[in-house]
Amino acid sequence: MEFEEGDRVKVEKGGVQYEGIVMPSTTGHIIIKMISGYNAGIDPQGATVTIIQKKQDMPVSSKAAGKGGIRSKPGLPKVSILSTGGTIASKIDYRTGAVTSQFSADDILQAIPELTEIANFSGKAIYNILSENMKAEYWQELSRAVVEEIKNGADGIIIAHGTDTMMYSAAALSFMIDTPVPIVFVGSQRSADRPSSDNAMNAICAAKVAVSDIAEVTVVMHGDGSDDKCSIHRATKVRKMHTSRRDAFRSINSEPIGYVDYATGEICTSLPYAKRNEKELALNNSLEPKCALVKFTPGASPDILGYFIDAGYKGIVIEGTGLGHVSTDWIPQIERATSKNIPVMVTSQCLNGRICDRVYDTGRDILKAGAIEGEDMLPEVALVKMMWTLGQIQDYGAAVDILKGNIRSEINERSLM
Ligand code: GLU
């Protein structure tokens, strides 16, 4: 009998056996989703396929099969998974092959049963969006949901999030929440229907961090090209640096806090971090959404900056060149902004390294115009910090002091790298 998508099969090739559900394939390979949550792609040449169960004989879904399958295990920590959407929260419909962004904790646990050895999970879908559609008010709602879960006794939080803007959301929650427990952002670059999906590994590593003593907001994602480890990035020092690689997330101007060894589940740390229960839970989630991140390019008109001043923006971050420069004709606009009590912070397109506007004349004039050096902060972190700071405080001088200060290790006192 011919096998088709959705059937449970056993594939034997070269003495190796694979068992799982047949997935859609566009390459001619047989793709099966194994019980581990991983997919295997097998060249059909020389492979023997045995059908174990036809798809029409299988239950419609895990829910239809009965919800009682996953029981809580006494003694394990409690972890809440909050989903906002993105690839990690997608589910494969084995009948149609479609990838749909559905979510329930049960769905995740059915797909990745290893998780049940790490913690007892509960899940909530907060949003079901692609992360390019995130916005400040969603960060606020998410922060409230996180705090509620912690108040209800969660020992750790996992936030499933699209990877595109994960670092903005992670930075926002990092500024907003004083947390006594780990808050871990996780995503996946490749959906579960692809042979090289990072879904299961990232989720398992995120769960390990969620039950660890790293009580910070972190991003836990594939750490290198292989399947050895996930990196634990500090929320204020991380960036998506590749469109498609699984190890797209990199700590910038910092080492990651540490790594999770996928094989052993062991966590190795190399940076100091806030420990579990060190901080009292607190939420300060007011934000000023009318802040802009403006990229300077050679020959760009100073009118660009002028637009934001006249449109009533309350804070501006400039992504300048090199050590933190813009052309001389932008400087009067910087001065106009600061004289209207609109803070202007300069960061660098180089990403790596630190702003120093005291070396060249342009830089010195930028400082004279009232701009603040963004030190070694990523431009997007500076933007989120600006939104958070102006949400907390309206007084210009006090806001500038907060912007210059170091709140969540977003600034290294010295450049180490
Ligand atoms: N662009 C979408 C997002 O960031 C999907 C990709 C992903 O989940 O990484 O949500």
Side-chain angles (χ1 to χ4, degrees):
M1 198 195 298
E2 273 294 297
F3 68 89
E4 54 187 335
E5 277 170 28
D7 291 348
R8 176 174 289 283
V9 296
K10 194 195 284 172
V11 184
E12 283 185 69
K13 184 168 177 175
V16 184
Q17 283 192 357
Y18 308 84
E19 189 176 321
I21 307 283
V22 180
M23 301 293 298
S25 170
T26 49
T27 59
H29 281 63
I30 305 165
I31 310 284
I32 61 164
K33 184 167 186 69
M34 297 180 292
I35 189 79
S36 62
Y38 275 101
N39 293 350
I42 305 142
D43 186 343
Q45 196 74 29
T48 322
V49 182
T50 319
I51 298 171
I52 299 173
Q53 196 174 23
K54 289 297 292 173
K55 70 174 175 187
Q56 54 270 25
D57 301 331
M58 283 196 259
V60 174
S61 71
S62 57
K63 284 200 191 95
K67 272 200 149 207
I70 294 154
R71 294 211 171 77
S72 63
K73 294 188 180 156
L76 288 184
K78 282 198 274 185
V79 171
S80 294
I81 309 178
L82 301 180
S83 173
T84 65
T87 305
I88 183 103
S90 306
K91 202 175 83 167
I92 312 302
D93 182 333
Y94 297 117
R95 289 165 182 265
T96 63
V99 181
T100 51
S101 200
Q102 293 176 5
F103 173 84
S104 82
D106 270 10
D107 288 335
I108 289 202
L109 300 178
Q110 298 278 6
I112 314 170
E114 295 95 322
L115 286 172
T116 57
E117 301 299 322
I118 302 171
N120 290 320
F121 292 90
S122 61
K124 252 189 209 158
I126 309 290
Y127 297 112
N128 186 5
I129 58 170
L130 297 171
S131 74
E132 48 270 40
N133 294 322
M134 268 284 164
K135 46 185 163 182
E137 63 188 82
Y138 293 177
W139 297 336
Q140 291 173 306
E141 195 172 335
L142 182 59
S143 71
R144 282 192 289 274
V146 167
V147 165
E148 193 165 312
E149 293 300 309
I150 298 173
K151 280 188 180 155
N152 288 339
D155 298 303
I157 307 286
I158 295 177
I159 299 170
H161 199 291
T163 56
D164 287 5
T165 69
M166 185 189 287
M167 58 280 188
Y168 290 83
S169 301
L173 262 62
S174 174
F175 287 117
M176 289 169 167
I177 305 174
D178 287 334
T179 182
V181 305
I183 300 173
V184 186
F185 277 77
V186 69
S188 81
Q189 285 279 84
R190 300 183 193 167
S191 56
D193 58 327
R194 299 183 59 186
S196 58
S197 174
D198 47 351
N199 248 27
M201 176 169 164
N202 290 350
I204 289 166
C205 292
K208 289 282 180 189
V209 179
V211 300
S212 76
D213 69 337
I214 304 174
E216 293 204 15
V217 182
T218 55
V219 166
V220 173
M221 293 285 291
H222 237 79
D224 56 27
S226 65
D227 283 337
D228 297 346
K229 60 181 181 182
C230 282
S231 301
I232 310 166
H233 302 281
R234 179 161 275 142
T236 52
K237 282 293 185 199
V238 64
R239 197 169 220 259
K240 183 175 179 179
M241 297 295 281
H242 199 279
T243 55
S244 56
R245 280 180 68 110
R246 294 178 304 176
D247 57 345
F249 281 79
R250 299 290 163 128
S251 285
I252 305 290
N253 290 323
S254 169
E255 295 289 334
I257 292 176
Y259 297 93
V260 185
D261 183 309
Y262 183 44
T264 63
E266 233 169 83
I267 292 180
C268 275
T269 57
S270 45
L271 291 184
Y273 56 85
K275 302 261 176 358
R276 187 177 278 280
N277 294 327
E278 224 169 67
K279 285 195 184 132
E280 286 244 352
L281 180 65
L283 176 66
N284 294 295
N285 69 349
S286 300
L287 292 173
E288 171 50 71
K290 237 173 162 192
C291 293
L293 172 55
V294 186
K295 183 164 188 150
F296 169 77
T297 54
S301 166
D303 294 350
I304 295 172
L305 209 51
Y307 164 80
F308 290 102
I309 301 168
D310 297 329
Y313 276 70
K314 303 287 191 288
I316 299 170
V317 175
I318 296 176
E319 204 177 296
T321 57
L323 288 168
H325 300 137
V326 290
S327 57
T328 344
D329 57 358
W330 275 45
I331 296 173
Q333 292 289 11
I334 294 180
E335 193 158 15
R336 193 158 79 85
T338 58
S339 66
K340 285 173 170 282
N341 288 347
I342 302 168
V344 177
M345 181 176 265
V346 183
T347 59
S348 177
Q349 294 165 23
C350 297
L351 306 179
N352 286 289
R354 179 179 291 272
I355 296 300
C356 185
D357 273 319
R358 281 148 291 158
V359 179
Y360 296 98
D361 275 353
T362 352
R364 285 198 285 268
D365 291 342
I366 289 170
L367 291 182
K368 254 191 247 149
I372 309 159
E373 291 171 308
E375 305 290 348
D376 67 339
M377 258 186 293
L378 285 163
E380 59 270 26
V381 173
L383 173 71
V384 172
K385 185 177 182 181
M386 181 76 82
M387 294 166 88
W388 180 79
T389 302
L390 298 178
Q392 305 302 308
I393 196 146
Q394 278 76 49
D395 177 74
Y396 179 74
V400 167
D401 285 345
I402 294 179
L403 286 166
K404 285 181 175 170
N406 191 13
I407 300 155
R408 299 288 191 223
S409 303
E410 71 278 11
I411 293 175
N412 287 309
E413 303 305 329
R414 289 183 300 121
S415 289
L416 305 168
M417 311 190 70

